[in-house]
Coordinates of all heavy atoms in Angstrom, one line a residue:
M1 N -21.8 24.2 10.8 CA -22.9 24.4 11.6 C -24.0 23.3 11.3 O -24.3 23.0 10.3 CB -23.5 25.7 11.3 CG -24.7 26.0 12.1 SD -25.1 27.8 11.8 CE -26.7 27.8 12.6
T2 N -24.5 22.7 12.3 CA -25.5 21.6 12.2 C -26.9 22.2 11.8 O -27.3 23.2 12.5 CB -25.6 20.8 13.5 OG1 -24.3 20.3 13.9 CG2 -26.5 19.6 13.5
T3 N -27.6 21.6 10.9 CA -28.8 22.0 10.6 C -29.8 20.9 10.9 O -29.3 19.8 11.0 CB -29.0 22.4 9.1 OG1 -28.6 21.2 8.4 CG2 -28.0 23.5 8.8
P4 N -31.1 21.2 11.1 CA -32.1 20.2 11.3 C -32.0 19.1 10.1 O -32.3 17.8 10.4 CB -33.4 20.8 11.4 CG -33.1 22.1 11.7 CD -31.7 22.4 11.1
A5 N -31.6 19.5 8.9 CA -31.7 18.6 7.7 C -30.5 17.7 8.0 O -30.6 16.5 7.4 CB -31.7 19.4 6.5
D6 N -29.4 17.9 8.4 CA -28.1 17.3 8.5 C -27.7 17.3 10.1 O -26.7 18.0 10.4 CB -27.1 17.9 7.5 CG -27.3 17.7 6.1 OD1 -28.0 16.7 5.8 OD2 -27.0 18.7 5.5
P7 N -28.4 16.4 10.9 CA -27.9 16.7 12.3 C -26.6 15.9 12.6 O -26.0 16.2 13.7 CB -29.1 15.8 12.9 CG -29.7 14.8 11.9 CD -29.5 15.6 10.6
W8 N -26.1 15.2 11.6 CA -24.7 14.5 11.9 C -23.7 15.1 11.2 O -22.6 14.7 11.1 CB -24.9 13.0 11.6 CG -25.9 12.3 12.3 CD1 -25.8 12.1 13.7 CD2 -27.0 11.7 11.8 NE1 -26.9 11.5 14.0 CE2 -27.8 11.0 12.9 CE3 -27.6 11.7 10.6 CZ2 -29.0 10.5 12.8 CZ3 -28.9 11.0 10.4 CH2 -29.4 10.5 11.6
H9 N -23.9 16.3 10.5 CA -22.9 17.1 9.7 C -21.6 17.2 10.6 O -20.4 16.9 10.0 CB -23.4 18.4 9.2 CG -22.6 19.0 8.1 ND1 -21.5 19.7 8.5 CD2 -22.5 18.8 6.8 CE1 -20.8 20.2 7.5 NE2 -21.5 19.7 6.4
D10 N -21.5 17.8 11.8 CA -20.4 18.0 12.5 C -19.6 16.8 12.7 O -18.5 16.7 12.8 CB -20.7 18.9 13.7 CG -21.3 20.2 13.4 OD1 -21.1 20.8 12.4 OD2 -21.8 20.9 14.3
A11 N -20.3 15.7 13.2 CA -19.7 14.5 13.4 C -18.9 13.9 12.3 O -17.8 13.6 12.4 CB -20.8 13.5 14.1
W12 N -19.6 13.9 11.1 CA -18.9 13.5 9.9 C -17.9 14.4 9.4 O -16.7 13.9 9.0 CB -20.0 13.5 8.8 CG -20.7 12.1 8.7 CD1 -22.0 12.0 9.2 CD2 -20.2 10.9 8.2 NE1 -22.3 10.5 9.0 CE2 -21.1 9.9 8.3 CE3 -18.9 10.6 7.7 CZ2 -20.8 8.6 8.1 CZ3 -18.7 9.3 7.3 CH2 -19.6 8.3 7.5
E13 N -18.0 15.7 9.6 CA -16.8 16.6 9.5 C -15.6 16.2 10.2 O -14.5 16.1 9.7 CB -17.1 18.1 9.7 CG -18.0 18.8 8.7 CD -17.1 19.4 7.5 OE1 -15.9 19.4 7.8 OE2 -17.7 19.7 6.5
A14 N -15.7 15.9 11.6 CA -14.7 15.6 12.4 C -14.1 14.2 12.0 O -12.9 14.0 12.0 CB -15.2 15.6 13.9
T15 N -15.0 13.2 11.7 CA -14.5 12.0 11.2 C -13.7 11.9 9.9 O -12.7 11.4 9.9 CB -15.7 11.0 11.0 OG1 -16.4 10.9 12.3 CG2 -15.4 9.5 10.6
L16 N -14.2 12.7 9.0 CA -13.4 12.8 7.7 C -12.1 13.5 7.9 O -11.1 13.1 7.3 CB -14.2 13.5 6.7 CG -15.5 12.8 6.1 CD1 -16.2 13.8 5.2 CD2 -15.0 11.6 5.5
A17 N -12.1 14.6 8.8 CA -10.8 15.3 9.1 C -9.7 14.3 9.8 O -8.7 14.3 9.4 CB -11.0 16.5 10.1
E18 N -10.3 13.4 10.7 CA -9.3 12.5 11.4 C -8.9 11.5 10.3 O -7.7 11.1 10.3 CB -10.3 11.7 12.4 CG -9.4 10.7 13.1 CD -10.2 10.0 14.2 OE1 -11.4 10.5 14.5 OE2 -9.7 9.0 14.8
F19 N -9.7 11.0 9.4 CA -9.4 10.1 8.3 C -8.2 10.8 7.5 O -7.2 10.2 7.0 CB -10.4 9.9 7.2 CG -11.3 8.6 7.8 CD1 -12.6 8.6 7.6 CD2 -10.8 7.6 8.6 CE1 -13.5 7.5 8.0 CE2 -11.6 6.6 9.0 CZ -13.0 6.5 8.7
E20 N -8.4 12.0 7.0 CA -7.5 12.8 6.3 C -6.1 12.9 7.0 O -5.1 12.8 6.4 CB -8.0 14.2 6.0 CG -9.1 14.2 4.9 CD -10.0 15.4 4.8 OE1 -9.9 16.2 5.7 OE2 -10.6 15.5 3.8
L21 N -6.0 13.2 8.3 CA -4.8 13.3 9.0 C -4.1 11.9 9.1 O -3.0 11.9 8.8 CB -5.1 13.7 10.4 CG -5.5 15.2 10.6 CD1 -5.8 15.6 12.0 CD2 -4.3 16.1 10.0
T22 N -4.8 10.9 9.2 CA -4.3 9.5 9.2 C -3.7 9.2 7.8 O -2.5 8.6 7.8 CB -5.4 8.5 9.6 OG1 -5.8 8.8 10.9 CG2 -4.7 7.0 9.8
L23 N -4.4 9.6 6.8 CA -3.9 9.3 5.4 C -2.7 10.2 5.2 O -1.8 9.6 4.5 CB -5.0 9.5 4.5 CG -4.8 9.2 3.0 CD1 -4.6 7.7 2.8 CD2 -6.0 9.6 2.2
E24 N -2.7 11.3 5.5 CA -1.6 12.1 5.4 C -0.3 11.5 6.1 O 0.9 11.6 5.5 CB -1.7 13.7 5.9 CG -2.8 14.4 5.0 CD -3.1 15.7 5.6 OE1 -2.7 16.2 6.7 OE2 -4.0 16.4 5.0
D25 N -0.5 10.9 7.3 CA 0.6 10.3 8.0 C 1.1 9.1 7.1 O 2.3 8.9 7.1 CB 0.2 9.8 9.3 CG -0.1 10.9 10.3 OD1 0.4 12.0 10.1 OD2 -0.7 10.7 11.4
A26 N 0.2 8.4 6.6 CA 0.6 7.1 5.7 C 1.3 7.6 4.5 O 2.3 7.1 4.0 CB -0.6 6.3 5.3
E27 N 0.9 8.7 3.9 CA 1.5 9.2 2.6 C 2.9 9.8 3.0 O 3.8 9.5 2.3 CB 0.7 10.4 2.0 CG -0.7 9.8 1.4 CD -1.6 10.9 1.0 OE1 -1.5 12.0 1.5 OE2 -2.4 10.7 0.1
A28 N 3.1 10.3 4.1 CA 4.4 10.9 4.5 C 5.3 9.7 4.8 O 6.6 9.6 4.5 CB 4.2 11.6 5.8
M29 N 4.8 8.5 5.4 CA 5.6 7.4 5.6 C 6.1 6.8 4.3 O 7.3 6.3 4.2 CB 5.0 6.3 6.4 CG 4.8 6.6 8.0 SD 4.1 5.2 8.8 CE 2.5 5.4 8.4
L30 N 5.3 6.8 3.3 CA 5.6 6.2 2.0 C 6.7 7.1 1.3 O 7.6 6.6 0.7 CB 4.4 6.1 1.1 CG 3.4 4.9 1.2 CD1 2.1 4.9 0.6 CD2 4.1 3.6 0.9
A31 N 6.6 8.4 1.6 CA 7.4 9.4 0.9 C 8.8 9.3 1.5 O 9.9 9.4 0.9 CB 6.9 10.6 0.9
S32 N 8.9 9.0 2.8 CA 10.1 9.0 3.5 C 10.8 7.7 3.7 O 11.9 7.5 4.2 CB 10.0 9.7 4.9 OG 9.3 8.9 5.7
D33 N 10.1 6.6 3.2 CA 10.6 5.2 3.4 C 10.9 4.9 4.9 O 11.8 4.2 5.3 CB 11.8 4.9 2.6 CG 11.6 4.8 1.2 OD1 10.5 4.5 0.9 OD2 12.5 5.1 0.3
H34 N 10.2 5.5 5.8 CA 10.3 5.2 7.2 C 8.9 5.0 7.9 O 8.0 5.7 7.7 CB 10.9 6.5 7.9 CG 10.9 6.5 9.4 ND1 11.8 5.7 10.0 CD2 10.1 7.0 10.4 CE1 11.7 5.8 11.3 NE2 10.7 6.5 11.5
V35 N 8.9 3.9 8.7 CA 7.7 3.6 9.3 C 8.0 3.5 10.9 O 8.8 2.8 11.3 CB 7.2 2.0 8.9 CG1 5.8 1.8 9.6 CG2 6.9 2.1 7.4
P36 N 7.4 4.5 11.5 CA 7.6 4.5 13.0 C 6.9 3.3 13.6 O 6.2 2.7 13.1 CB 6.9 5.8 13.4 CG 5.9 6.1 12.4 CD 6.4 5.5 11.2
A37 N 7.4 3.1 14.9 CA 6.8 2.0 15.7 C 5.3 2.2 15.8 O 4.9 3.3 16.0 CB 7.5 1.8 16.9
P38 N 4.4 1.2 15.8 CA 3.0 1.4 15.9 C 2.7 1.9 17.4 O 3.4 1.5 18.3 CB 2.4 0.0 15.6 CG 3.7 -0.9 15.9 CD 4.9 -0.3 15.6
D39 N 1.7 2.8 17.3 CA 1.2 3.4 18.5 C -0.1 2.7 18.9 O -1.2 3.1 18.2 CB 1.1 4.7 18.5 CG 0.5 5.5 19.6 OD1 0.5 4.8 20.8 OD2 0.4 6.7 19.6
A40 N -0.3 1.8 19.8 CA -1.5 1.1 20.2 C -2.6 2.1 20.5 O -3.8 1.9 20.3 CB -1.3 0.1 21.2
A41 N -2.2 3.2 21.2 CA -3.2 4.2 21.6 C -3.8 4.8 20.4 O -4.8 5.5 20.5 CB -2.5 5.2 22.5
A42 N -3.2 4.9 19.2 CA -3.6 5.5 18.1 C -4.6 4.8 17.2 O -5.1 5.2 16.2 CB -2.6 6.0 17.2
A43 N -5.0 3.6 17.7 CA -5.9 2.8 16.9 C -7.3 3.5 16.9 O -7.7 4.0 17.7 CB -6.1 1.4 17.6
W44 N -7.9 3.4 15.5 CA -9.0 4.2 15.2 C -10.2 3.4 15.7 O -10.2 2.2 15.5 CB -9.1 4.5 13.8 CG -10.2 5.2 13.4 CD1 -10.5 6.7 13.7 CD2 -11.5 4.9 12.9 NE1 -11.8 7.1 13.2 CE2 -12.3 5.8 12.6 CE3 -11.9 3.7 12.4 CZ2 -13.6 5.9 12.1 CZ3 -13.3 3.6 11.8 CH2 -14.1 4.7 11.7
T45 N -11.2 4.1 16.2 CA -12.5 3.4 16.6 C -13.6 4.2 15.9 O -13.5 5.5 16.0 CB -12.7 3.2 18.1 OG1 -12.6 4.5 18.7 CG2 -11.6 2.3 18.8
P46 N -14.5 3.6 15.3 CA -15.6 4.3 14.6 C -16.4 5.1 15.7 O -16.7 4.6 16.7 CB -16.3 3.3 13.8 CG -16.1 2.1 14.5 CD -14.6 2.2 15.1
P47 N -16.8 6.4 15.3 CA -17.7 7.1 16.2 C -19.0 6.3 16.3 O -19.5 5.7 15.2 CB -17.8 8.4 15.6 CG -17.3 8.3 14.2 CD -16.5 7.2 14.2
A48 N -19.7 6.5 17.3 CA -21.1 5.8 17.5 C -22.1 6.7 17.0 O -22.1 7.9 17.4 CB -21.2 5.3 18.9
G49 N -23.1 6.1 16.3 CA -24.3 7.0 16.1 C -24.2 8.2 15.2 O -24.8 9.2 15.6
I50 N -23.4 8.2 14.2 CA -23.3 9.4 13.4 C -24.3 9.4 12.2 O -24.2 10.4 11.6 CB -21.8 9.9 13.0 CG1 -21.2 8.8 12.2 CG2 -21.0 10.1 14.2 CD1 -20.0 9.2 11.5
G51 N -24.8 8.4 12.0 CA -25.9 8.3 11.0 C -25.2 8.3 9.6 O -24.1 8.0 9.5
R52 N -26.2 8.6 8.6 CA -25.8 8.6 7.2 C -25.0 9.9 6.9 O -25.2 10.9 7.6 CB -27.0 8.6 6.3 CG -27.6 7.3 6.3 CD -28.9 7.3 5.4 NE -28.4 7.8 4.1 CZ -29.0 7.4 3.0 NH1 -30.0 6.6 2.9 NH2 -28.5 7.9 1.8
I53 N -24.0 9.7 6.0 CA -23.2 10.9 5.7 C -24.1 11.9 4.9 O -24.8 11.7 4.1 CB -22.0 10.4 4.7 CG1 -21.0 11.7 4.6 CG2 -22.4 9.9 3.4 CD1 -19.7 11.3 4.1
P54 N -23.9 13.1 5.3 CA -24.9 14.3 4.8 C -24.2 14.4 3.3 O -23.1 14.3 2.9 CB -24.3 15.5 5.5 CG -23.8 15.0 6.8 CD -23.3 13.8 6.4
A55 N -25.2 14.8 2.3 CA -25.0 14.9 1.0 C -23.9 15.9 0.6 O -23.0 15.6 -0.2 CB -26.3 15.4 0.3
P56 N -23.6 17.1 1.2 CA -22.5 17.9 1.0 C -21.2 17.4 1.1 O -20.2 17.8 0.7 CB -22.8 19.1 1.9 CG -24.2 19.2 2.4 CD -24.5 17.7 2.3
L57 N -21.2 16.3 2.0 CA -19.9 15.7 2.3 C -19.5 14.4 1.5 O -18.4 13.9 1.6 CB -19.8 15.3 3.8 CG -19.9 16.5 4.8 CD1 -19.9 16.0 6.2 CD2 -18.8 17.5 4.6
V58 N -20.4 14.0 0.7 CA -20.2 12.9 -0.2 C -19.0 12.9 -1.1 O -18.2 12.0 -1.1 CB -21.4 12.5 -0.9 CG1 -21.1 11.4 -1.9 CG2 -22.7 12.1 0.1
D59 N -18.8 13.9 -1.8 CA -17.7 14.2 -2.7 C -16.4 14.1 -1.9 O -15.3 13.5 -2.4 CB -17.8 15.3 -3.5 CG -18.9 15.3 -4.6 OD1 -19.2 14.2 -4.9 OD2 -19.3 16.5 -5.0
R60 N -16.3 14.8 -0.8 CA -15.1 14.8 0.0 C -14.8 13.3 0.4 O -13.6 12.8 0.4 CB -15.3 15.6 1.2 CG -14.2 15.6 2.2 CD -14.4 16.6 3.3 NE -13.4 16.5 4.3 CZ -13.4 17.1 5.6 NH1 -14.5 17.9 5.8 NH2 -12.5 17.0 6.4
A61 N -15.7 12.6 0.9 CA -15.6 11.3 1.4 C -15.2 10.3 0.2 O -14.3 9.5 0.3 CB -16.9 10.5 1.9
R62 N -15.7 10.6 -1.0 CA -15.3 9.7 -2.2 C -13.9 10.0 -2.7 O -13.0 9.1 -2.9 CB -16.2 10.0 -3.4 CG -17.6 9.3 -3.2 CD -18.3 9.5 -4.5 NE -19.7 8.9 -4.3 CZ -20.8 9.3 -4.7 NH1 -20.8 10.5 -5.2 NH2 -21.9 8.6 -4.6
T63 N -13.4 11.3 -2.5 CA -12.1 11.6 -2.8 C -11.0 11.0 -1.7 O -10.0 10.5 -2.2 CB -11.9 13.1 -2.7 OG1 -12.7 13.7 -3.7 CG2 -10.4 13.6 -3.1
L64 N -11.5 10.9 -0.5 CA -10.8 10.4 0.6 C -10.6 9.0 0.4 O -9.4 8.2 0.5 CB -11.4 10.6 1.9 CG -10.7 10.2 3.2 CD1 -9.2 10.7 3.2 CD2 -11.4 10.7 4.4
L65 N -11.7 8.3 0.0 CA -11.7 6.8 -0.2 C -10.7 6.5 -1.4 O -9.9 5.5 -1.2 CB -13.0 6.4 -0.6 CG -13.2 4.9 -1.0 CD1 -12.6 4.0 0.2 CD2 -14.6 4.5 -1.4
A66 N -10.7 7.3 -2.5 CA -9.8 7.0 -3.5 C -8.3 7.1 -3.2 O -7.5 6.3 -3.5 CB -10.1 8.1 -4.7
R67 N -8.0 8.1 -2.3 CA -6.8 8.4 -1.7 C -6.4 7.1 -1.0 O -5.2 6.6 -0.9 CB -6.6 9.6 -1.0 CG -6.4 10.8 -1.9 CD -6.4 12.1 -1.0 NE -5.3 12.2 -0.1 CZ -5.2 12.9 1.1 NH1 -6.3 13.7 1.4 NH2 -4.2 12.9 1.8
Q68 N -7.2 6.7 -0.2 CA -7.0 5.6 0.8 C -6.6 4.3 -0.1 O -5.8 3.5 0.3 CB -8.2 5.2 1.7 CG -8.3 6.3 2.8 CD -9.4 6.0 3.8 OE1 -10.6 5.6 3.3 NE2 -9.3 6.2 5.0
V69 N -7.5 4.1 -1.0 CA -7.1 2.9 -2.0 C -5.8 3.0 -2.6 O -5.1 1.9 -2.5 CB -8.3 2.7 -2.9 CG1 -8.0 1.8 -4.0 CG2 -9.7 2.5 -2.3
E70 N -5.5 4.2 -3.0 CA -4.1 4.3 -3.7 C -3.0 4.1 -2.6 O -2.0 3.4 -2.9 CB -4.0 5.7 -4.3 CG -2.6 6.0 -4.8 CD -2.2 5.1 -6.0 OE1 -3.0 4.3 -6.5 OE2 -0.9 5.0 -6.2
V71 N -3.2 4.6 -1.4 CA -2.2 4.5 -0.3 C -2.1 3.0 0.0 O -1.0 2.3 0.2 CB -2.3 5.3 0.8 CG1 -1.5 5.0 2.0 CG2 -2.1 6.9 0.5
S72 N -3.2 2.3 0.1 CA -3.2 0.9 0.3 C -2.4 0.2 -0.8 O -1.6 -0.7 -0.4 CB -4.6 0.3 0.5 OG -5.3 1.0 1.5
R73 N -2.6 0.5 -2.0 CA -1.8 -0.2 -3.1 C -0.5 0.1 -2.9 O 0.4 -0.8 -3.0 CB -2.4 0.4 -4.4 CG -1.8 -0.4 -5.6 CD -2.0 0.3 -6.8 NE -1.3 1.6 -6.9 CZ 0.0 1.8 -7.0 NH1 0.8 0.8 -7.1 NH2 0.4 3.1 -7.0
Q74 N 0.0 1.3 -2.6 CA 1.4 1.6 -2.5 C 2.0 0.9 -1.3 O 3.3 0.4 -1.3 CB 1.5 3.1 -2.4 CG 1.3 3.9 -3.6 CD 1.3 5.4 -3.4 OE1 1.9 5.9 -2.4 NE2 0.8 6.1 -4.2
L75 N 1.2 0.8 -0.2 CA 1.7 0.1 0.9 C 2.0 -1.3 0.7 O 3.0 -2.1 1.1 CB 0.8 0.2 2.2 CG 0.8 1.6 2.9 CD1 -0.4 1.7 3.8 CD2 2.2 1.9 3.6
A76 N 1.1 -2.0 0.0 CA 1.1 -3.3 -0.5 C 2.4 -3.6 -1.4 O 3.1 -4.6 -1.2 CB -0.1 -3.8 -1.1
T77 N 2.7 -2.7 -2.3 CA 3.8 -2.8 -3.1 C 5.1 -2.6 -2.3 O 6.1 -3.5 -2.5 CB 3.8 -1.7 -4.1 OG1 2.6 -2.0 -4.9 CG2 5.0 -1.7 -5.1
A78 N 5.1 -1.8 -1.4 CA 6.3 -1.6 -0.5 C 6.4 -2.7 0.3 O 7.7 -3.2 0.5 CB 6.2 -0.3 0.3
A79 N 5.4 -3.3 0.8 CA 5.7 -4.5 1.7 C 6.2 -5.7 0.9 O 6.9 -6.4 1.4 CB 4.2 -4.9 2.3
G80 N 5.8 -5.9 -0.2 CA 6.1 -6.9 -1.1 C 7.6 -6.7 -1.5 O 8.4 -7.7 -1.4
A81 N 8.0 -5.5 -1.8 CA 9.4 -5.3 -2.0 C 10.3 -5.6 -0.8 O 11.4 -6.1 -0.9 CB 9.6 -3.9 -2.5
S82 N 9.8 -5.2 0.4 CA 10.5 -5.5 1.6 C 10.7 -7.0 1.9 O 11.8 -7.4 2.3 CB 9.8 -4.8 2.8 OG 10.5 -4.9 4.0
R83 N 9.6 -7.7 1.6 CA 9.7 -9.2 1.7 C 10.7 -9.8 0.8 O 11.6 -10.6 1.2 CB 8.4 -9.8 1.7 CG 7.4 -9.5 2.8 CD 6.2 -10.5 2.8 NE 5.4 -10.2 1.6 CZ 4.5 -9.2 1.6 NH1 4.2 -8.4 2.5 NH2 3.8 -9.1 0.4
R84 N 10.8 -9.4 -0.4 CA 11.7 -9.8 -1.4 C 13.1 -9.6 -1.0 O 14.0 -10.3 -1.1 CB 11.4 -9.2 -2.8 CG 10.2 -9.9 -3.4 CD 10.1 -9.5 -4.9 NE 10.0 -8.1 -5.1 CZ 8.7 -7.4 -5.0 NH1 7.6 -8.1 -4.6 NH2 8.7 -6.1 -5.2
E85 N 13.3 -8.3 -0.5 CA 14.6 -7.9 -0.1 C 15.2 -8.7 1.1 O 16.3 -9.2 1.2 CB 14.8 -6.4 0.2 CG 14.6 -5.6 -1.0 CD 14.4 -4.1 -0.6 OE1 14.6 -3.6 0.5 OE2 14.2 -3.2 -1.6
G86 N 14.2 -8.9 1.9 CA 14.5 -9.8 3.2 C 14.9 -11.2 2.9 O 15.9 -11.7 3.5
R87 N 14.1 -11.8 1.9 CA 14.5 -13.2 1.5 C 15.9 -13.2 0.8 O 16.7 -14.1 0.9 CB 13.4 -13.6 0.5 CG 12.1 -14.1 1.2 CD 11.2 -14.9 0.3 NE 10.7 -14.0 -0.8 CZ 9.6 -13.4 -0.9 NH1 8.8 -13.3 0.2 NH2 9.4 -12.7 -2.0
A88 N 16.0 -12.2 -0.1 CA 17.4 -12.0 -0.8 C 18.6 -12.0 0.3 O 19.6 -12.7 0.1 CB 17.5 -10.9 -1.7
I89 N 18.5 -11.2 1.3 CA 19.3 -11.1 2.4 C 19.6 -12.4 3.1 O 20.7 -12.7 3.4 CB 19.1 -9.9 3.3 CG1 19.2 -8.6 2.6 CG2 19.9 -9.8 4.6 CD1 18.8 -7.4 3.3
S90 N 18.5 -12.9 3.5 CA 18.6 -14.3 4.1 C 19.3 -15.3 3.3 O 20.1 -16.1 3.8 CB 17.2 -14.8 4.4 OG 16.4 -14.0 5.4
R91 N 19.0 -15.4 1.9 CA 19.8 -16.3 1.2 C 21.3 -16.1 1.1 O 22.2 -17.0 1.2 CB 19.2 -16.3 -0.3 CG 17.9 -17.0 -0.4 CD 17.5 -17.3 -1.9 NE 17.4 -16.1 -2.6 CZ 16.1 -15.4 -2.6 NH1 15.1 -15.8 -2.1 NH2 16.1 -14.3 -3.4
M92 N 21.7 -14.7 1.2 CA 23.0 -14.4 1.2 C 23.9 -14.8 2.5 O 25.0 -15.0 2.6 CB 23.2 -12.9 0.9 CG 22.9 -12.6 -0.5 SD 23.4 -10.8 -1.0 CE 22.1 -9.9 -0.4
T93 N 23.0 -14.8 3.4 CA 23.7 -15.0 4.9 C 23.4 -16.3 5.5 O 24.0 -16.6 6.6 CB 23.1 -14.0 5.9 OG1 21.7 -14.0 6.0 CG2 23.5 -12.5 5.4
L94 N 22.6 -17.2 4.9 CA 22.5 -18.6 5.4 C 23.7 -19.5 5.2 O 24.4 -19.3 4.3 CB 21.3 -19.1 4.7 CG 19.8 -18.6 5.1 CD1 18.8 -19.3 4.2 CD2 19.5 -18.8 6.6
G95 N 23.9 -20.3 6.3 CA 24.8 -21.4 6.1 C 26.3 -20.9 6.3 O 26.5 -19.8 6.7
T96 N 27.2 -21.7 6.2 CA 28.6 -21.4 6.3 C 29.2 -20.7 5.1 O 28.8 -21.2 4.0 CB 29.4 -22.6 6.8 OG1 29.3 -23.5 5.7 CG2 29.0 -23.2 8.1
P97 N 30.0 -19.8 5.2 CA 30.5 -19.2 4.0 C 31.4 -20.2 3.2 O 32.0 -21.1 3.7 CB 31.4 -18.1 4.4 CG 31.6 -18.3 5.9 CD 30.5 -19.2 6.3
A98 N 31.4 -20.1 1.8 CA 32.1 -21.0 1.1 C 33.7 -20.7 1.3 O 34.0 -19.5 1.4 CB 31.8 -21.0 -0.4
P99 N 34.5 -21.7 1.2 CA 35.9 -21.4 1.3 C 36.5 -20.7 0.2 O 36.0 -20.9 -1.0 CB 36.5 -22.9 1.5 CG 35.8 -23.8 0.9 CD 34.2 -23.2 1.1
P100 N 37.4 -19.9 0.3 CA 37.9 -19.2 -1.0 C 38.5 -20.4 -1.9 O 39.1 -21.3 -1.5 CB 39.1 -18.3 -0.4 CG 39.2 -18.6 1.1 CD 38.1 -19.6 1.5
V101 N 38.5 -19.9 -3.1 CA 39.0 -20.8 -4.2 C 40.0 -20.1 -5.0 O 39.8 -18.9 -5.4 CB 37.8 -21.3 -5.1 CG1 38.5 -22.1 -6.3 CG2 36.8 -22.0 -4.3
Y102 N 41.2 -20.8 -5.0 CA 42.4 -20.1 -5.8 C 42.7 -20.9 -7.0 O 42.7 -22.1 -6.9 CB 43.7 -20.0 -4.8 CG 43.3 -19.1 -3.7 CD1 42.9 -19.7 -2.4 CD2 43.4 -17.7 -3.8 CE1 42.8 -19.0 -1.2 CE2 43.2 -16.9 -2.7 CZ 42.8 -17.5 -1.4 OH 42.7 -16.8 -0.4
V103 N 42.9 -20.3 -8.2 CA 43.2 -21.0 -9.3 C 44.6 -20.6 -9.7 O 44.9 -19.3 -9.9 CB 42.3 -20.6 -10.4 CG1 42.7 -21.3 -11.7 CG2 40.8 -21.0 -10.1
D104 N 45.6 -21.6 -9.7 CA 46.8 -21.2 -10.1 C 47.0 -21.5 -11.6 O 47.0 -22.5 -12.1 CB 47.8 -22.1 -9.4 CG 49.3 -21.7 -9.5 OD1 49.5 -20.6 -10.0 OD2 50.1 -22.6 -9.1
I105 N 47.4 -20.4 -12.3 CA 47.5 -20.5 -13.8 C 49.0 -20.0 -14.1 O 49.5 -19.0 -13.7 CB 46.6 -19.4 -14.5 CG1 45.1 -19.7 -14.1 CG2 46.8 -19.5 -15.9 CD1 44.1 -18.7 -14.6
P106 N 49.7 -21.2 -14.8 CA 51.1 -20.8 -15.0 C 51.2 -19.6 -16.1 O 50.3 -19.4 -17.0 CB 51.6 -22.1 -15.8 CG 50.4 -23.1 -15.9 CD 49.1 -22.4 -15.1
A107 N 52.2 -18.9 -15.9 CA 52.3 -17.6 -16.7 C 53.0 -17.9 -18.1 O 53.5 -18.7 -18.4 CB 53.2 -16.7 -15.9

């Protein structure tokens, strides 16, 4: 409920809830090793004019920020591993295959 002391409380509640849902989606992608195709319609745009965050929501926002930082770190690690695997696969498939080599050893 909005109070005169916190006129933007409801807007901040909705914004933080949206962040949490987006973060939960990212955490689910990391857990399942599956990244769906990007949805351009889902791009986030900041709400206009919601003012300063109300004091009762500061702890929730800080917790959410810490989770976002951790998910960002995990995503960067996963992206790096994916690039390394891609380079390794490229090295294995580049060029013409080497001809088979047979060694004849007398018995």
Side-chain angles (χ1 to χ4, degrees):
M1 181 172 165
T2 304
T3 64
D6 292 324
W8 300 294
H9 189 273
D10 291 342
W12 271 103
E13 280 277 346
T15 299
L16 292 175
E18 185 178 349
F19 279 148
E20 287 165 342
L21 290 175
T22 303
L23 187 59
E24 288 169 7
D25 289 345
E27 290 168 335
M29 284 188 286
L30 281 167
S32 70
D33 289 333
H34 173 73
V35 178
D39 182 7
W44 184 78
T45 54
I50 62 172
R52 291 180 52 147
I53 188 166
L57 299 178
V58 170
D59 287 338
R60 179 178 171 190
R62 284 187 178 136
T63 300
L64 183 56
L65 176 61
R67 283 178 58 202
Q68 286 176 324
V69 168
E70 177 58 21
V71 167
S72 294
R73 186 196 62 75
Q74 291 175 15
L75 287 171
T77 300
S82 180
R83 284 190 299 275
R84 284 189 300 278
E85 289 171 10
R87 285 192 300 266
I89 290 169
S90 293
R91 283 191 298 270
M92 288 188 280
T93 59
L94 287 177
T96 59
V101 176
Y102 298 97
V103 178
D104 189 12
I105 301 175

